[in-house]
């Protein structure tokens, strides 16, 4: 099997996190969060190519770090657009593509490999975590309905796809002006089977400033284990 391509959408502005510098460039244990993520994928022998989508103004800053296996492309106005820009740079020999948030530095390699295998077998896969809170559908300030918790899973990344499937799904999403927040959900919406692989609570997304405080502690634990 030829190696996989990894697309890292890193072109968001981090509104919920706040601050001048987008969160993916904030430091975790002395280096930018996105750099931790890039380096972890580069250490993986199943990864042939890493593509990072960053906002146009930041492209000039990071471009000189490009190499054989990593390169940077200009991101778009939405996450899906950033992923689409990345997909254009995927080499033909990569049959499988993983999409991973720039702000999830703690993905497990064993889970990633299980996801790659599941995408080969099923076409698409995602890491899902059973939700622990009860989730209500709310309209303004009133509960409309309460879905059964045992059917609810929080979607994490890396989400993996046969390259042809991701191309089809993103092309259709662009045509329909679909603004989904993840690609696994889109693939399912367009009729592809998407395999669920057990996610991991440690693979949380750094969304708000308190998540970075937790991430620093987790990093300390990881590096002393
Ligand atoms: N992302 C992207 N391009 C965009 C929007 C988001 O590449 N136009 C990326 C983010 O950089 C991040 C990932 O998608 O790596 C997950 O998005 P999220 O956590 O929502 O990050 P932001 O969109 O930056 O944050 P917020 O929603 O709080 O503004
Ligand atoms: Mg966002």
């Amino acid at each position: 099997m030829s190696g996989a391509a990894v697309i890292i959408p890193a072109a968001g502005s981090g509104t919920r996190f706040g601050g001048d510098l987008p969160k993916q460039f904030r430091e975790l244990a002395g280096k930018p969060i996105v750099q931790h993520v890039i380096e972890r994928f580069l250490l993986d022998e199943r990864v042939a190519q890493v593509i990072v989508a960053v906002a146009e103004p930041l492209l000039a800053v990071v471009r000189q770090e490009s190499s054989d296996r990593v390169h940077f492309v200009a991101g778009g106005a939405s996450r899906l657009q950033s992923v689409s820009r990345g997909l254009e740079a995927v080499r033909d020999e990569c049959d499988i593509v993983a999409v991973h948030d720039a702000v999830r530095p703690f993905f497990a390699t064993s889970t990633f490999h299980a996801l790659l295998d599941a995408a080969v077998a099923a076409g698409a896969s995602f890491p899902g975590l059973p939700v622990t809170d009860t989730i209500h559908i709310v309209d303004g300030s009133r509960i409309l309905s309460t879905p059964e918790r045992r059917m609810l899973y929080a979607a994490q990344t890396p989400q993996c796809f046969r390259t042809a499937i991701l191309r089809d799904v993103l092309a259709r999403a662009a045509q329909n002006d679909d603004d989904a927040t993840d690609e696994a959900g889109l693939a399912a919406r367009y009729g592809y089977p998407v395999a669920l692989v057990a996610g991991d609570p440690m693979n949380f997304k750094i969304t708000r400033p308190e998540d970075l405080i937790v991430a620093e502690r987790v990093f300390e634990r990881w590096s002393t284990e």
Side-chain angles (χ1 to χ4, degrees):
M1 193 182 86
S2 61
V6 178
I7 298 171
I8 303 175
S13 51
T15 326
R16 286 168 291 180
F17 194 97
D20 293 336
L21 187 67
K23 60 185 181 177
Q24 59 275 25
F25 301 105
R26 297 285 293 251
E27 289 200 350
L28 166 64
K31 61 182 159 191
I33 298 169
V34 62
Q35 198 182 326
H36 286 276
V37 173
I38 295 169
E39 287 175 3
R40 291 210 47 215
F41 280 117
L42 286 176
L43 283 173
D44 192 315
E45 77 281 359
R46 293 184 67 172
V47 173
Q49 193 189 7
V50 175
I51 300 155
V52 190
V54 297
E56 192 97 54
L58 288 162
L59 202 54
V61 184
V62 291
R63 187 170 265 162
Q64 60 263 41
E65 294 171 25
S66 288
S67 72
D68 272 7
R69 280 172 81 211
V70 197
H71 60 282
F72 296 87
V73 298
S78 69
R79 185 173 180 286
L80 280 188
Q81 282 173 25
S82 296
V83 173
S84 299
R85 300 271 179 84
L87 191 57
E88 288 167 17
V90 169
R91 288 201 289 263
D92 287 344
E93 68 267 24
C94 293
D95 298 332
I96 297 288
V97 182
V99 179
H100 185 68
D101 293 328
V103 283
R104 287 186 197 269
F106 303 120
F107 63 94
T109 299
S110 56
T111 306
F112 174 44
H113 289 177
L115 287 155
L116 289 174
D117 294 341
V120 171
S125 64
F126 82 107
L129 202 60
V131 303
T132 51
D133 291 326
T134 296
I135 308 284
H136 300 301
I137 312 279
V138 170
D139 177 18
S141 56
R142 287 179 51 202
I143 294 176
L144 291 181
S145 63
T146 306
E148 251 185 274
R149 190 170 62 195
R150 65 177 179 84
M151 296 187 73
L152 296 175
Y153 282 76
Q156 300 184 323
T157 70
Q159 302 188 348
C160 299
F161 307 86
R162 288 188 204 142
T163 309
I165 291 179
L166 188 60
R167 283 195 204 287
D168 178 50
V169 163
L170 290 180
R172 290 210 235 171
Q175 220 159 45
N176 298 338
D177 242 347
D178 209 319
D179 63 350
T181 49
D182 87 335
E183 294 72 34
L186 267 184
R189 187 176 307 166
Y190 293 125
Y192 290 105
V194 182
L196 165 68
V197 168
D200 177 0
M202 295 309 282
N203 183 22
F204 61 91
K205 182 160 71 72
I206 298 174
T207 303
R208 298 184 177 85
E210 49 271 33
D211 299 324
L212 184 53
I213 296 169
V214 176
E216 290 282 1
R217 297 296 294 273
V218 170
F219 193 89
E220 278 167 32
R221 285 279 289 278
W222 267 39
S223 44
T224 56
E225 257 168 27

